[in-house]
Amino acid sequence: MKRFVSTLIATGTLGSVIGCIALASGQPDDTPGSVLGGKLPCGYRDWRLISVAREEGALDDIRAVLGNDAAIKTYREGKLPFPESSAIARLAWSCDVSEENNKSFGKKQSYVAGHPKNGVQFMVKDSVKYASTGGWGYAQFEDGKSVLDAAMIQKCFECHKACKDHDFVFTRYAP
Amino acid sequence: MKRFVSTLIATGTLGSVIGCIALASGQPDDTPGSVLGGKLPCGYRDWRLISVAREEGALDDIRAVLGNDAAIKTYREGKLPFPESSAIARLAWSCDVSEENNKSFGKKQSYVAGHPKNGVQFMVKDSVKYASTGGWGYAQFEDGKSVLDAAMIQKCFECHKACKDHDFVFTRYAP
């Protein structure tokens, strides 16, 4: 099964933070009720780094995967499965040649993050509500708006079955 | 001027957190006195994401640049120069083919962070102490140990002069 979602929704997302929400306390709302209710939390850009990746092909991006506190704790302790309300965000940008860096290096070798690309994707653990998709709810935002319908979420899950042994999460922690 | 430091010290850093220090409060010590005094702060891996990059050539890594609170605030507000005690960390890993991801995508296109590589580098703002290098002190750690001598630090600065207009910092914030 292919990762259709990322490929199908490969549009720019400049302005992904539009419409994000925060709790009255000022803390980011990273609860399943926010992300999976179709509302982009303000605070996900502050989550800590899990890892980075480069996708060539149709996606053609450079990406970072961030996790909320519950997710990071689980990664670092190495104890699967992820607990309830764990949340993981995948951000991606165009993979742009850096002329500035290359000039300093004296050769063409450097690529940096450009404009946001391929949406912002989330996995949020709610093992009761999302029991049918491995205990994870999936969401994707384009320009701050949730864009996944039920069929697309099912495709997310079908793909993530490949890493069932890692609680359906592809990304490993970068040490 | 080339970025000699990164190229010259392109050894693995598995165990970079060995010997890191924390304040009595449990908060990471990300002060200039720690990083530039030759001690790796425990908490830099918790700093927030500034951006990601891919370096080909001799470096051949995929990397993330993280910032402490002062650095992140400055990036987001877009108001240079960075204030005192701003700290920026560059982490890097081998850029490994992900067979697991490629199998899901149905084609070879996916690269993920592998083992730590090319050390962990820091820039810390102390405009008085480091006035001769643009107000920034430079540090690099290999297996938790500081490895830059005065001549190498000078080479860092010579290279970073190329981005004087961005307060000597190459990395821009990934939106």
Side-chain angles (χ1 to χ4, degrees):
Chain A
M1 182 63 64
K2 310 296 186 295
R3 294 187 193 180
F4 287 107
V5 173
S6 296
T7 309
L8 290 172
I9 310 174
T11 58
T13 57
L14 189 63
S16 288
V17 295
I18 296 170
C20 73
I21 60 169
L23 299 174
S25 64
Q27 293 299 307
D29 181 0
D30 59 2
T31 62
S34 166
V35 176
L36 302 181
K39 294 181 180 177
L40 185 65
C42 289
Y44 75 90
R45 189 61 179 74
D46 288 336
W47 294 352
R48 285 174 283 176
L49 180 71
I50 298 169
S51 192
V52 294
R54 162 82 172 116
E55 296 295 340
E56 295 180 345
L59 289 173
D60 191 20
D61 65 42
I62 189 163
R63 46 183 57 196
V65 178
L66 309 181
N68 70 356
D69 289 348
I72 290 289
K73 184 172 186 288
T74 302
Y75 270 111
R76 292 181 178 175
E77 294 179 350
K79 296 178 182 174
L80 298 176
F82 290 89
E84 299 300 293
S85 297
S86 294
I88 297 169
R90 192 279 292 144
L91 298 78
W93 302 270
S94 58
C95 189
D96 294 359
V97 171
S98 171
E99 299 295 353
E100 182 179 62
N101 290 5
N102 289 340
K103 189 175 177 183
S104 292
F105 280 121
K107 57 185 73 172
K108 182 178 175 181
Q109 69 172 57
S110 187
Y111 300 85
V112 297
H115 61 82
K117 191 175 180 183
N118 298 331
V120 181
Q121 296 180 325
F122 292 88
M123 293 178 67
V124 180
K125 194 69 174 284
D126 185 332
S127 60
V128 174
K129 189 171 183 180
Y130 299 98
S132 66
T133 51
W136 291 94
Y138 294 87
Q140 178 160 334
F141 292 83
E142 303 283 348
D143 296 324
K145 295 177 184 174
S146 179
V147 295
L148 294 193
D149 61 25
M152 297 160 85
I153 289 171
Q154 188 62 37
K155 286 178 180 173
C156 294
F157 175 55
E158 294 300 327
C159 183
H160 279 260
K161 283 180 179 175
C163 46
K164 182 179 179 181
D165 291 344
H166 194 248
D167 197 15
F168 302 100
V169 176
F170 279 98
T171 303
R172 270 55 167 190
Y173 188 82
Chain B
M1 183 62 65
K2 311 296 186 297
R3 295 186 194 182
F4 287 108
V5 173
S6 296
T7 309
L8 290 173
I9 311 172
T11 59
T13 57
L14 189 63
S16 288
V17 295
I18 296 171
C20 73
I21 60 169
L23 298 174
S25 64
Q27 293 300 305
D29 181 1
D30 60 1
T31 63
S34 166
V35 175
L36 302 181
K39 294 181 179 177
L40 186 66
C42 288
Y44 75 89
R45 188 62 179 75
D46 288 336
W47 293 352
R48 285 176 282 176
L49 180 71
I50 297 169
S51 191
V52 294
R54 162 81 172 116
E55 295 295 341
E56 295 180 345
L59 290 173
D60 191 20
D61 66 42
I62 189 164
R63 46 184 55 196
V65 178
L66 311 181
N68 71 354
D69 289 347
I72 290 290
K73 183 172 186 287
T74 302
Y75 269 111
R76 292 181 178 175
E77 293 179 351
K79 295 178 183 174
L80 297 175
F82 289 89
E84 299 300 293
S85 297
S86 293
I88 297 169
R90 193 279 293 143
L91 298 78
W93 302 269
S94 58
C95 189
D96 294 359
V97 171
S98 172
E99 299 294 354
E100 183 179 61
N101 289 6
N102 288 339
K103 188 175 178 183
S104 293
F105 280 122
K107 58 185 72 173
K108 181 179 175 180
Q109 69 172 56
S110 188
Y111 300 85
V112 298
H115 61 82
K117 191 176 179 183
N118 298 331
V120 181
Q121 297 180 325
F122 293 88
M123 293 177 67
V124 180
K125 194 70 174 283
D126 185 332
S127 60
V128 175
K129 190 171 183 180
Y130 300 98
S132 65
T133 50
W136 291 95
Y138 295 87
Q140 178 159 334
F141 291 84
E142 302 282 349
D143 296 324
K145 296 177 184 174
S146 179
V147 295
L148 294 193
D149 61 26
M152 297 160 85
I153 289 170
Q154 189 60 37
K155 285 179 180 174
C156 293
F157 175 55
E158 293 300 326
C159 183
H160 280 259
K161 284 180 180 176
C163 46
K164 182 179 179 182
D165 291 345
H166 194 247
D167 197 17
F168 302 101
V169 176
F170 279 98
T171 303
R172 270 54 169 190
Y173 188 81

